[in-house]
Amino acid sequence: MGVLSTLLVPMGPFYEQLVKLGGPALCAIGFVAFVLLSVIINVLQQLLFKDPVKPPVVFHYFPFFGSTVMYGMDPYKFFSDCQEKYGEVFTFVMLGRNMTAALGPKGNDFVFNGKLSEVSAEDAYAHLTVPVFGEGVVYDVPNHVLMEQKKFMKFGLTTENFRSYVPLIVDQVEDYIKKSKFFKGAKGSVPLSEIIPELTIFTAARTLQGKEIRDALDGSFAKLYHHLDSGFTPMNFLFPWFPFPQNNRRDHAQRTMAQFYMDKIEKRRANEKHDDDQERSDMMWNLMNRSYKDGRKVPDKEVAHMMIALLMAGQHTSMATITWMLLHVAAQPKLVAQILAEQKRVFGDELAPLSYEKLVLECTFLGQIIRETLRMHPPLHSILRKVKSPMHVDGTNWVIPKGHYLLAAPGVSSMDQKYFKDPNSFNPSRWDGQKAEEETEKFDFGFGLISKGAASPYLPFGAGRHRCIGEQFANVQLMTIMATFVRNFDMQRPGGGSDVPAPDYSSMIALPTPPCTIEWVRRDP
Ligand code: HEM
């Protein structure tokens, strides 16, 4: 007390003024002083006490907040600025978390092929996904169970099913175009941000989820889906403990949707002798009839939760990809003409109905459009793992401590001049003559053989034990939607512009900034 009063003596008049202003002013000044002091200590710590056995830390003024704003506004700009300053491996602070990014092909391999004893995806994602998917599936179970569940889901993604999906997707798109207010008359314009989310979910629901779920999307299920989706946001990821008002709606939607699926399962079981072949081979049927290695049958609740996980996993990623694809081809109408020419070459001038084999095996240019879209716009810009035991970074003295988050961003290498010439130009022909799947060593993590190597600059579907199982389905969905659009319409950006909207990073994935308008002219008015 004595020391304090000695210090305050020279501040006499200022101090008296403060006392007059009262408590709130003192609180405000105290707060500013606290912030200033913590900024000074934080800056000094970074300048004076660099830890040689840890990756460099991205310079930041404010402790706890660190680089949150820069990363959140434009993760790719943030990554490439940091890459230039610090190299491929660096740590940044995001809301109190230490995030260690590992960039480039080597970084991709480091994260995607991290050992189970070193990294955990469930520790990084569970707080976001468990309330949405439900318990007992995906990141709510040990990794070996997830591998079994991925195998079950993959069993439902057969070539035979894909074959039957193509006409179903065409029907959904044609029906949507017929009914939509945006496609009246011989020409018009359409905000993709309004139609593509619906088209994506309708096509995925009709195929992966079955007719009952697709039909329900015209009714109460649509609202439930939106409520569930509203719990799948960066805010839920960053502040899982915060009671956002939409969380109650999310939880109610999760329970009601799961019950909806369980009722359907019960009805199907009660009606075992039904003779609907398509139902008998669909995803729900497939999951209902699986057992874990320990002999336990997959409970109906887990079937329901896996169905929800499939719906959510594919929705945002496919929706983003279709929107970017349509924008890029509309920005270069010669690409629309090339896709149509390919359709005519493969299906004849009369454009015979689309079929799986011809579409996937012969429409190579359309395939390249998808690959180029995913090169420039991989929907997941940040792939995370939590570090469970210290990880040494090859070729350095650095050890990434337990508790850090590891972050891979394959979108950085796929937009790097080093690996792709003129990376900012949308050029599907750069993939001419390249096979979709490189011939590399294969490995089975428990859900079928996949390429083992992850040291590639292009990994939109990830790699390793958490690699996407939906790639082939996504391809069928994207190719069918795109081919149907091009068969129906010529397209361009408003006024024939060659621009494409900037990415918007405010949701979990990299979407183009709405409204994403394209102009269309009907081919056969
Ligand atoms: C995993 C991308 C479509 C289901 C992943 C991962 C990526 C990805 C990068 C790895 C995540 C990680 O390592 O943390 C994409 C893209 C898609 C797409 C770009 C479309 C263009 C789909 C679809 C489905 C699906 C349609 C379902 C039918 C899954 C599942 C996982 C996964 C189940 C496994 C998660 C894990 O093992 O941790 N996807 N995906 N994806 N994806 Fe996809």
Side-chain angles (χ1 to χ4, degrees):
M1 186 64 199
V3 178
L4 196 61
S5 50
T6 323
L7 282 174
L8 288 174
V9 169
M11 294 173 69
F14 176 60
Y15 181 65
E16 277 164 25
Q17 202 61 31
L18 275 185
V19 172
K20 264 191 225 156
L21 284 172
L26 276 176
C27 277
I29 289 173
F31 178 72
V32 172
F34 170 76
V35 171
L36 268 178
L37 198 67
S38 49
V39 168
I40 291 167
I41 293 172
N42 184 43
V43 167
L44 287 177
Q45 215 168 27
Q46 290 174 74
L47 296 177
L48 303 177
F49 303 106
K50 287 193 178 136
D51 190 338
V53 294
K54 283 190 192 152
V57 177
V58 175
F59 182 79
H60 56 282
Y61 288 101
F62 295 96
F64 184 78
F65 294 100
S67 309
T68 309
V69 175
M70 301 305 282
Y71 167 72
M73 274 172 20
D74 187 342
Y76 285 123
K77 179 168 178 345
F78 173 73
F79 290 144
S80 50
D81 289 351
C82 293
Q83 194 180 25
E84 215 167 276
K85 267 195 208 145
Y86 305 100
E88 307 270 49
V89 183
F90 52 84
T91 299
F92 65 97
V93 173
M94 185 182 76
L95 296 177
R97 300 167 174 91
N98 286 305
M99 317 287 296
T100 299
L103 305 179
K106 268 168 86 180
N108 293 341
D109 194 40
F110 185 66
V111 180
F112 286 121
N113 276 332
K115 292 193 197 108
L116 258 191
S117 57
E118 292 175 337
V119 294
S120 156
E122 54 272 29
D123 288 354
Y125 297 139
H127 61 279
L128 175 74
T129 57
V130 176
V132 176
F133 301 166
E135 288 164 4
V137 301
V138 189
Y139 300 121
D140 192 40
V141 289
N143 189 270
H144 67 93
V145 181
L146 169 60
M147 295 302 113
E148 281 198 74
Q149 294 181 342
K150 283 176 79 169
K151 186 172 68 184
F152 300 155
M153 294 188 245
K154 233 179 138 182
F155 277 138
L157 300 168
T158 59
T159 304
E160 205 178 308
N161 282 349
F162 293 150
R163 219 171 268 143
S164 71
Y165 290 169
V166 171
L168 294 177
I169 296 173
V170 174
D171 277 356
Q172 289 296 316
V173 181
E174 303 248 325
D175 190 52
Y176 190 90
I177 291 172
K178 220 178 281 165
K179 291 181 182 154
S180 167
K181 64 177 181 196
F182 296 111
F183 293 106
K184 299 281 175 231
K187 59 180 184 173
S189 66
V190 54
L192 296 178
S193 316
E194 285 197 38
I195 66 155
I196 298 299
E198 282 188 328
L199 257 183
T200 314
I201 195 154
F202 290 165
T203 49
R206 182 62 192 89
T207 49
L208 282 183
Q209 306 270 318
K211 187 169 182 315
E212 303 131 312
I213 306 295
R214 167 62 191 94
D215 290 346
L217 274 172
D218 287 332
S220 59
F221 206 75
K223 195 160 154 204
L224 290 173
Y225 168 76
H226 286 297
H227 285 171
L228 193 64
D229 200 38
S230 67
F232 211 49
T233 69
M235 296 310 267
N236 290 88
F237 178 76
L238 292 170
F239 307 104
W241 39 264
F242 195 82
F244 294 111
Q246 70 264 29
N247 288 2
N248 284 337
R249 289 202 300 267
R250 172 199 65 191
D251 297 343
H252 172 258
Q254 199 287 327
R255 282 192 302 271
T256 319
M257 278 170 76
Q259 191 57 52
F260 185 90
Y261 282 105
M262 284 192 283
D263 291 345
K264 299 284 164 216
I265 296 169
E266 212 176 286
K267 223 163 113 190
R268 283 188 180 197
R269 285 203 202 285
N271 186 21
E272 285 269 347
K273 277 196 244 109
H274 66 72
D275 53 14
D276 183 336
D277 276 350
Q278 201 186 338
E279 258 184 22
R280 273 181 177 273
S281 65
D282 73 6
M283 182 59 84
M284 193 193 279
W285 185 264
N286 157 58
L287 294 176
M288 280 163 59
N289 290 291
R290 297 279 158 206
S291 300
Y292 290 106
K293 276 184 198 145
D294 61 9
R296 189 171 65 97
K297 272 195 83 65
V298 178
D300 290 357
K301 200 169 185 177
E302 290 177 22
V303 173
H305 293 174
M306 275 189 257
M307 293 296 288
I308 297 178
L310 281 167
L311 189 71
M312 302 303 288
Q315 172 63 12
H316 294 264
T317 44
S318 292
M319 170 186 90
T321 313
I322 303 169
T323 314
W324 283 115
M325 243 163 83
L326 282 164
L327 286 167
H328 276 290
V329 300
Q332 297 185 55
K334 69 169 197 287
L335 297 178
V336 180
Q338 276 175 275
I339 299 172
L340 183 66
E342 182 178 72
Q343 288 291 303
K344 289 190 172 169
R345 181 178 57 74
V346 175
F347 294 95
D349 282 343
E350 294 303 311
L351 291 173
L354 293 172
S355 64
Y356 171 72
E357 263 82 9
K358 284 193 166 181
L359 196 60
V360 170
L361 300 176
E362 294 181 44
C363 295
T364 45
F365 186 69
L366 186 51
Q368 287 174 214
I369 296 263
I370 296 176
R371 292 178 88 186
E372 183 66 347
T373 307
L374 288 169
R375 180 188 71 76
M376 290 184 77
H377 309 284
L380 304 178
H381 55 71
S382 302
I383 288 175
L384 301 179
R385 304 285 183 261
K386 193 151 185 199
V387 178
K388 291 202 314 193
S389 61
M391 289 178 80
H392 176 246
V393 182
D394 267 359
T396 70
N397 295 327
W398 302 332
V399 174
I400 304 171
K402 178 180 170 184
H404 274 217
Y405 286 82
L406 258 192
L407 185 153
V412 172
S413 45
S414 65
M415 285 295 280
D416 189 332
Q417 176 79 27
K418 238 191 288 176
Y419 310 106
F420 295 93
K421 199 173 155 237
D422 202 3
N424 290 310
S425 82
F426 185 86
N427 174 17
S429 301
R430 73 171 77 240
W431 299 98
D432 282 354
Q434 290 192 37
K435 281 200 193 133
E437 177 90 356
E438 297 295 329
E439 287 303 322
T440 57
E441 197 188 339
K442 301 269 197 261
F443 188 79
D444 186 355
F445 289 95
F447 57 95
L449 282 175
I450 57 164
S451 295
K452 189 175 181 202
S456 161
Y458 178 77
L459 292 171
F461 293 97
R465 62 181 60 249
H466 292 283
R467 194 193 193 285
C468 186
I469 53 155
E471 174 176 2
Q472 284 169 300
F473 172 79
N475 255 327
V476 172
Q477 187 187 25
L478 301 177
M479 286 182 117
T480 311
I481 293 179
M482 192 66 181
T484 311
F485 260 82
V486 170
R487 284 166 170 230
N488 276 283
F489 308 115
D490 202 1
M491 293 174 265
Q492 64 169 20
R493 286 280 287 148
S498 58
D499 65 310
V500 165
D504 169 7
Y505 297 107
S506 60
S507 71
M508 294 298 293
I509 50 159
L511 280 166
T513 309
C516 306
T517 305
I518 59 167
E519 292 176 349
W520 56 268
V521 175
R522 205 177 290 277
R523 293 195 190 279
D524 183 13

